[in-house]
Amino acid sequence: MVKIVHLSDTHVSHRRFKNVKDSWKINNRLTWIEEDYCKGFQKAMEQAAEIKPDYVVHSGDLFDVPVGRNLIGPTEYSRAFVIKVLREFFEKTENEVPFITIDGNHGTYLTRNYSTLEFLKEAFPKMFFLATNYHLKQAIFDDNPLIIEFDDVKFYLFPYLKFGNLQSLEDSYENWVRNNQEPDNSKISIAIAHGMTRGIDLLNLLFQYDYDYVALGHDHKQQRIKKNMWQAGSTEKYTFTERNQQKGFLEVDVQKGKDPIIVQKNIESKRNMIQKNIKLTTDSSVIDLESSVFEILKEFEQPFIGETASRLKITFEGTTLLNNWWRMEDKLDDIRSKIFSAKYNILEFRWDAKDLVRTAPTSLKKGAKIKEYLIDDPVKDFERYVRDLDMDNQKLAKVFIEKGAKIIEEVFSVPEHSTESED
Ligand SMILES: [Mn+2]
């Protein structure tokens, strides 16, 4: 039997600046939210040291950045913090517990063939093991396995790969797995993969092969997928949909040919993520909205304390007039700056109106009428408008006229049925 600690999606170096109070844990060095994710990783690793498993398995997204086309890397604070946490873990466990991880979709320069995890390998060459996206590409290209082998266990590594949109990629990926990643019976076999959707970022073969355990990451909700396959979940709440999730990691006893024994371990966070809902009708005024929001804010009327300040999101539903909603959004901007400058124990304030139906006022619904009276000939009309501005630069005025005419044409040449559907 081997005992592993399975954690995932620590997202260290996650930062937010939009909709967040301008306040630092350490000025110009560490933000409150960034610290939350550092702590999530630290708490998991401290508990892991007490468990002293045979291996620690991290199923990807150790760092939050870079991600996608955003090539900004983790902060120096976060890099140093991860080094410190790992060093303390290896010291406490007397360099007897290897840490094995893979690239997720976060923390890796997908297009650049390198990963933020490489410096950790350099820092702990004997204790830290990883497979990056680049390793995976190379392995597929060379038709070589991506396995880390110890005396008693073989780890089959599956760094993040979104293959689902490209049949040829899926085929070659699947072939590679068939040729190289099928578990053999000589040792305990553990797969480590980052993905959550079969056929998109998780291969069906992973479900079919009889690994003794499959350590999954990417889904931030801790859950059993099948008896030998679990998502460990993230170590700190990330999006507001995670606000009611218990965060933690897994302690797993893996035996050859038997069902693994799973113990769910909790990590508590001081940070509340709270979501409130406001329902609007076409009769709701800006003042109504303002009083509903301030009603919600009452429970947060306390001096700001970075450690305990809440992350608050208001969702709007129902129906409102479009021009009314624009005024409401201006008001919400006002309220946000009030929250961040007055005594509210709120770190983040945002709103979401994706479920709010915004309708045009009756006067604007008659698109045809507008066309008749405002714009007979858009080009001429706009030209007259620009000429009236008395622009000095005639060349620029001409560009304006051409562009403006094009925009007007695009806006007003909307097919009739699509304006009707908004009614
Ligand atoms: Mn992920």
Side-chain angles (χ1 to χ4, degrees):
M1 187 202 87
V2 296
K3 186 186 280 296
I4 66 165
V5 156
H6 172 203
L7 75 154
S8 194
D9 295 84
T10 43
H11 286 271
V12 178
S13 208
H14 178 63
R15 282 181 151 197
R16 272 169 192 274
F17 291 102
K18 220 184 145 200
N19 304 320
V20 169
K21 189 180 169 88
D22 182 17
S23 166
W24 297 78
K25 165 77 190 220
I26 305 170
N27 208 23
N28 286 329
R29 180 165 165 84
L30 178 64
T31 71
W32 296 108
I33 288 179
E34 182 178 358
E35 196 197 27
D36 290 348
Y37 295 90
C38 286
K39 278 183 179 167
F41 178 63
Q42 184 177 41
K43 285 174 194 166
M45 292 307 291
E46 280 173 359
Q47 287 193 52
E50 275 166 38
I51 292 167
K52 204 181 179 194
D54 299 302
Y55 303 92
V56 170
V57 168
H58 187 303
S59 332
D61 288 1
L62 197 157
F63 286 111
D64 186 58
V65 280
V67 59
R69 288 190 194 127
N70 172 9
L71 297 181
I72 294 168
T75 63
E76 294 315 313
Y77 182 91
S78 286
R79 289 178 197 271
F81 189 88
V82 168
I83 288 262
K84 182 178 93 120
V85 167
L86 287 175
R87 178 173 47 73
E88 283 170 1
F89 173 80
F90 293 135
E91 279 169 14
K92 277 189 235 169
T93 54
E94 294 158 318
N95 289 315
E96 285 169 354
V97 183
F99 185 103
I100 302 135
T101 190
I102 54 172
D103 263 348
N105 54 318
H106 287 251
T108 178
Y109 303 83
L110 271 178
T111 56
R112 300 273 170 105
N113 292 336
Y114 48 79
S115 162
T116 52
L117 302 177
E118 288 172 37
F119 79 101
L120 296 172
K121 178 73 188 163
E122 293 301 326
F124 307 105
K126 289 187 177 138
M127 302 309 297
F128 189 88
F129 299 86
L130 85 157
T132 66
N133 298 113
Y134 183 60
H135 290 141
L136 177 63
K137 278 188 256 176
Q138 272 301 313
I140 294 174
F141 190 76
D142 300 334
D143 207 20
N144 281 333
L146 206 52
I147 292 171
I148 292 168
E149 189 168 355
F150 296 90
D151 289 346
D152 45 359
V153 195
K154 270 187 177 182
F155 290 97
Y156 298 78
L157 307 177
F158 299 86
Y160 182 76
L161 179 70
K162 193 173 178 179
F163 54 83
N165 301 330
L166 202 61
Q167 192 58 47
S168 58
L169 180 61
E170 180 168 357
D171 293 345
S172 49
Y173 187 37
E174 204 172 302
N175 277 332
W176 170 75
V177 174
R178 274 184 214 286
N179 292 342
N180 301 286
Q181 301 289 93
E182 189 173 352
D184 71 40
N185 285 323
S186 62
K187 289 180 182 180
I188 288 174
S189 59
I190 297 175
I192 309 173
H194 195 84
M196 61 194 272
T197 314
R198 278 172 90 143
I200 298 292
D201 50 24
L202 269 191
L203 274 181
N204 279 317
L205 285 176
L206 237 59
F207 294 78
Q208 288 157 22
Y209 285 168
D210 57 350
Y211 299 107
D212 297 298
Y213 183 64
V214 182
L216 293 181
H218 197 36
D219 194 333
H220 288 188
K221 186 174 194 281
Q222 186 177 91
Q223 60 192 296
R224 175 191 192 271
I225 306 300
K226 49 187 275 197
K227 61 189 176 192
N228 71 330
M229 183 188 262
W230 277 71
Q231 287 279 2
S234 58
T235 48
E236 174 59 89
K237 291 164 190 169
Y238 194 81
T239 64
F240 278 83
T241 49
E242 298 170 41
R243 66 192 180 278
N244 297 324
Q245 290 174 10
Q246 174 63 55
K247 294 300 174 186
F249 62 92
L250 300 167
E251 181 186 334
V252 187
D253 289 345
V254 190
Q255 274 177 282
K256 181 86 231 154
K258 285 189 181 167
D259 294 346
I261 297 160
I262 316 281
V263 181
Q264 293 174 270
K265 295 288 188 176
N266 294 345
I267 296 173
E268 302 305 334
S269 163
K270 274 190 189 171
R271 180 90 51 219
N272 284 321
M273 269 181 132
I274 297 163
Q275 188 170 305
K276 303 273 188 180
N277 186 265
I278 293 178
K279 201 170 169 166
L280 298 175
T281 68
T282 45
D283 294 331
S284 308
S285 67
V286 176
I287 293 164
D288 294 336
L289 169 124
E290 192 177 12
S291 61
S292 312
V293 174
F294 276 104
E295 190 58 38
I296 289 170
L297 292 178
K298 267 186 187 162
E299 63 170 289
F300 302 95
E301 279 177 11
Q302 288 148 30
F304 178 82
I305 300 167
E307 267 86 4
T308 60
S310 292
R311 301 173 67 174
L312 174 65
K313 176 175 169 180
I314 296 180
T315 55
F316 290 97
E317 52 167 46
T319 307
T320 185
L321 295 177
L322 184 59
N323 52 340
N324 226 1
W325 175 246
W326 289 338
R327 283 198 289 271
M328 287 172 176
E329 280 207 298
D330 286 345
K331 178 50 77 183
L332 285 166
D333 278 329
D334 279 357
I335 294 172
R336 185 178 45 210
S337 33
K338 208 167 275 175
I339 289 171
F340 291 153
S341 58
K343 283 190 175 172
Y344 287 102
N345 201 19
I346 294 175
L347 178 62
E348 180 180 16
F349 178 74
R350 56 197 295 147
W351 61 89
D352 176 348
K354 70 175 189 306
D355 294 328
L356 180 70
V357 179
R358 280 151 276 186
T359 64
T362 327
S363 62
L364 286 180
K365 278 182 186 169
K366 307 274 180 274
K369 233 182 203 172
I370 254 188
K371 230 190 264 181
E372 282 165 17
Y373 121 93
L374 186 65
I375 294 163
D376 217 5
D377 180 335
V379 184
K380 270 193 184 157
D381 243 38
F382 194 73
E383 184 176 358
R384 203 179 308 134
Y385 171 73
V386 174
R387 299 278 177 228
D388 284 349
L389 293 178
D390 230 2
M391 290 182 67
D392 292 337
N393 186 340
Q394 284 302 308
K395 215 172 163 187
L396 195 62
K398 202 165 170 261
V399 174
F400 267 39
I401 290 162
E402 279 164 9
K403 294 270 180 216
K406 211 172 165 199
I407 290 165
I408 289 164
E409 248 171 42
E410 272 175 30
V411 170
F412 286 96
S413 64
V414 176
E416 286 303 318
H417 65 264
S418 83
T419 37
E420 271 167 34
S421 70
E422 280 175 13
D423 285 1

